[in-house]
Amino acid sequence: MNLGLFDELPATPQAPEWLESGAVVLRGFALAQAAQLLQAVEAVAARAPFRHLVTPGGKRMSVAMTNCGPLGWISDRSGYRYGPTDPLTGERWPPMPEVFHALAREAAGAAGYPGFAPDACLINRYSPGTRLSLHQDRDEGNYDHPIVSVSLGIPAVFLWGGAQRTDKARRVGLLHGDVVVWGGPARLRFHGVLPLAEAAHALTGAQRINLTFRRARQEPGPVSSAGGAA
Ligand code: SIN
Ligand code: FE2
C-alpha cells in the first residue's frame, strides 16, 4: 500500500513523530474531541467573529483569525501583540472552553511539557489558497512554555524551518486531529503553512481550523490590565 501525504491514518494513537529535539507531531491526538472542539469554535466565533488582520506593514492576512482565553493575539498597523479585549467589539475575548484547556494540557504533557496552562488560544481559519508565511511565535512574555497547535478539517502542509528564516523548511502533512507541540530548544523555530489545496472535510467543509495554544502573560498570576497585554 502506498500511503500518500494526505491519506487518512487510522483513528488509533500513533507513535510520536519527533521533528527535532523539543518538537513533535502527535498524529490523531485530537480526533476524539474534534467535533466538540469545532462546536466550541463556532460558539467562540459567534461572539468574537473571524476577521482578516492587517500586518504592521499594511498587508491583509489571508488567514482569518479570532481568539479565546484571557489574552488574544492581534496584529494591526502598530504591531503584533496580545490583549485582553477584542478590538472589533471592545469586549473581553470569550473564555477558553474546558475541552480546549484539557486537550492542550494533555498534548503538552505527551510531548514532555507537563503542567501547561495556556492563557491564549489563537484560532486560525484557512480556505483553499490560504497560506501563512514563515514566522516565529515570539510575542509571548517568555519562551519557557511550549506552543500546542491542533489541526482540524481539510489537510495542510506545515513548514517546519530552522532558527533563521532562510533555513530550509521541512514539509509535514497535517490532517484532521493532528497536534504539533514545540518548545524548549525548538520554541523559536520558523514555521508556516503552504497554500491549502482544494479539499472538503465532513465536519468543516472546505475549511481548515487551527488552534494554537500559548502562554502569553509574562508573570504567573492573574492577568491584569498591566500584565503582558499592553
Ligand atoms: C500558526 O503558526 O499560528 C498556525 C500554524 C498552523 O496553522 O498549523
Ligand atoms: Fe505560529
Side-chain angles (χ1 to χ4, degrees), residues 17 47 52 68 72 76 96 113 119 136 146 153 158 162 166-167 172 177 186:
E17 289 172 27
R47 290 175 57 180
H52 294 271
C68 62
D76 61 19
M96 197 182 298
Y113 304 102
D119 57 10
Q136 294 167 296
F158 185 59
T166 49
D167 289 345
V172 182

Side-chain angles (χ1 to χ4, degrees), residues 63 65 122 124 126 132-133 135 137 147 149-151 156 158 174 180 182 191-193 208-212 214:
V63 182
M65 295 176 169
L122 173 63
N124 293 312
Y126 300 74
L132 188 63
S133 50
H135 65 279
D137 292 354
I147 302 285
S149 171
V150 179
S151 292
F158 185 59
L174 293 182
V180 188
W182 63 95
H191 59 279
V193 177
R208 172 175 185 262
I209 300 289
N210 170 261
L211 313 174
T212 35
R214 300 103 185 272

